[in-house]
Amino acid sequence: MPSDTKRPIPSVWTRPQRPRREQPALSRDQIVSAALELLDTEGIDALSMRKLGSRLNAGATSLYTHVADKGELIELVVDAVYGEIEIPEATDPAHWREAATRCAQGLRSAILAHPWMASVLGGAWVTQLGPNLMRLSENMLAVFEQAGLPAAETDPAVSALTAYVIGMATSEAAWLTTLARSGQSEREWVEQLWPAVEDAAQDHPKLREQYAGLRGKDPRETRDEKFDYGLQRVLDGLAARLG
């Protein structure tokens, strides 16, 4: 006969904490820090409980005091990255746009600093329940509410903003990951690409004009400008809903 008791979704944030020894060999912070270093240097495919245990000079079983599996570990590390983002303060309604801009830029910077993040956001793991992301989301809701958005629109507004940032930053992270594997700088790679790009654009006058304006420009600066342009247009749309 089926039980009426609902089990919580599998997540490090919903699982009851396991009893700990008085002096555990490893702390959760140590595990998360080592996992973050491994992910940043070797990527998501290199992460395993065995490999992490080796880095910490501990058996994989020592990690299970804090995390049940790789999925829970990713939840913890993702939330640690969210902890690097400046929490926007909803103190002055007139400055909501600046607060939203700082938050968006912080999220983009976090993803670009940790490119593996792009492959796990929106995955099967419950990264949305982490305390750092919860604080960030709470404050962004307050920023838009104090700015004058109707209460029913604050959550869609936060979703629209973060979707734009994640979409742009995911593409950038993939590009930077490919670039890192090549051993070249961004400027070196782009300079090598220009002749082929210009040749391909011969029959496309508008593209030729665009590329001519980008020739010789710092590609990182170009990425920053494109990101900011799109971000400001998203905020223009939200501003039109105020009042």
Side-chain angles (χ1 to χ4, degrees):
M1 185 174 180
S3 171
D4 291 334
T5 303
K6 292 183 178 179
R7 291 190 299 176
I9 55 175
S11 170
V12 70
W13 311 116
T14 61
R15 174 174 55 78
Q17 292 296 303
R18 296 172 178 174
R20 297 182 182 181
R21 293 174 294 175
E22 290 186 6
Q23 293 183 333
L26 294 171
S27 69
R28 175 180 281 190
D29 287 345
Q30 286 175 304
I31 294 171
V32 171
S33 178
L36 181 57
E37 182 181 355
L38 174 59
L39 285 163
D40 285 347
T41 55
E42 300 187 40
I44 191 70
D45 292 336
L47 181 65
S48 70
M49 301 294 275
R50 183 183 297 276
K51 191 165 189 176
L52 183 59
S54 177
R55 275 192 168 230
L56 290 164
N57 295 317
T61 54
S62 299
L63 308 182
Y64 293 121
T65 302
H66 301 281
V67 291
D69 51 34
K70 179 179 174 179
E72 288 194 0
L73 180 60
I74 289 174
E75 289 178 345
L76 290 169
V77 180
V78 167
D79 198 61
V81 173
Y82 278 120
E84 299 174 3
I85 302 172
E86 177 187 354
I87 300 293
E89 295 294 336
T91 54
D92 187 345
H95 293 161
W96 71 270
R97 191 163 181 140
E98 291 87 337
T101 297
R102 286 196 303 273
C103 181
Q105 291 173 339
L107 177 56
R108 175 189 180 228
S109 295
I111 295 173
L112 297 187
H114 310 285
W116 54 268
M117 280 271 288
S119 65
V120 300
L121 292 176
W125 303 288
V126 191
T127 56
Q128 300 93 337
L129 298 181
N132 288 322
L133 179 56
M134 295 290 277
R135 281 192 291 271
L136 185 64
S137 300
E138 173 77 7
N139 280 46
M140 279 307 300
L141 288 171
V143 165
F144 286 132
E145 182 177 332
Q146 290 195 14
L149 274 181
E153 294 188 27
T154 56
D155 179 61
V158 173
S159 295
L161 179 64
T162 54
Y164 168 74
V165 176
I166 291 173
M168 289 290 287
T170 295
S171 296
E172 289 184 273
W175 152 246
L176 293 177
T177 298
T178 301
L179 191 65
R181 290 171 182 158
S182 75
Q184 294 178 299
S185 71
E186 190 169 9
R187 186 183 286 275
E188 288 171 339
W189 201 94
V190 169
E191 286 300 320
Q192 288 184 358
L193 182 64
W194 271 122
V197 169
E198 291 172 334
D199 184 60
Q202 285 302 311
D203 296 330
H204 306 281
K206 293 187 182 299
L207 285 175
R208 285 205 317 272
E209 183 180 354
Q210 289 293 315
Y211 293 150
L214 295 173
R215 195 74 153 93
K217 194 171 182 178
D218 183 346
R220 178 174 179 176
E221 181 181 334
T222 299
R223 286 193 289 108
D224 290 344
E225 290 177 353
K226 287 185 176 180
F227 175 82
D228 188 64
Y229 176 86
L231 173 61
Q232 296 310 318
R233 300 299 74 77
V234 171
L235 297 179
D236 285 346
L238 294 176
R241 298 293 302 154
L242 299 181

